[in-house]
Amino acid sequence: MKRIIFLVIACALSNIVVKAQESLVKEENTDTTAVFNRVVHDFKTVSESGGLIECEFTLTNTGDNPLVITKVTTSCGCTASDWTKEPIGAGKQGFVKVSFDPKGRKGEFVKSLTVFTNGNPSSLRLKIKGNIE
């Protein structure tokens, strides 16, 4: 019983520390903003047997503080992403690259990526779309 109580208290304290750190990062970087060159990429028509397709979104830090992309999530397993891992200085550019496997997915598609940053807003949504023949 003592172990369970200890674990509950440890989890609660850990959660409080994480939330406090997130709050500090957000407060420090409210002057950090990511502006993407576009939010939708249209692949038009692609071949199912053509292999992976890729595109890259460029972002600019229009704020005064360094911008950090903390993670990027995708809407399905057929989509993968890569992004600038180091802090992006004020006025500098970074990227979010997405690859999509059209194999076995005929017809129209729309997939999304959510980009999480230390800026304001803290998350941005990007989309890729097209038609697979």
Side-chain angles (χ1 to χ4, degrees):
M1 185 67 174
K2 289 180 183 178
R3 287 183 189 172
I4 293 173
I5 293 172
F6 176 76
L7 285 174
V8 168
I9 291 171
C11 288
L13 288 175
S14 172
N15 213 4
I16 290 169
V17 169
V18 168
K19 293 293 182 190
Q21 288 174 336
E22 288 175 355
S23 176
L24 285 174
V25 167
K26 285 182 182 177
E27 286 175 16
E28 290 172 2
N29 293 303
T30 55
D31 291 336
T32 303
T33 306
V35 176
F36 281 90
N37 62 329
R38 65 185 185 282
V39 293
V40 177
H41 178 81
D42 189 349
F43 284 103
K44 308 282 186 218
T45 301
V46 297
S47 170
E48 178 185 11
S49 61
L52 287 177
I53 54 176
E54 296 181 334
C55 75
E56 187 171 292
F57 295 90
T58 302
L59 67 100
T60 303
N61 177 359
T62 61
D64 298 327
N65 296 316
L67 175 74
V68 178
I69 300 173
T70 55
K71 71 178 176 177
V72 177
T73 60
T74 60
S75 61
C76 76
C78 59
T79 309
S81 62
D82 188 23
W83 62 89
T84 303
K85 303 295 192 283
E86 61 275 352
I88 303 162
K92 302 294 183 189
Q93 292 187 328
F95 70 89
V96 173
K97 185 184 292 186
V98 60
S99 59
F100 172 73
D101 187 0
K103 187 175 183 179
R105 296 177 173 83
K106 288 194 178 215
E108 290 186 17
F109 70 91
V110 177
K111 304 296 177 188
S112 65
L113 298 94
T114 305
V115 180
F116 295 90
T117 74
N118 65 326
N120 186 16
S122 60
S123 67
L124 303 137
R125 182 150 308 192
L126 306 174
K127 291 185 180 182
I128 58 172
K129 66 180 185 173
N131 187 44
I132 303 167
E133 291 185 337

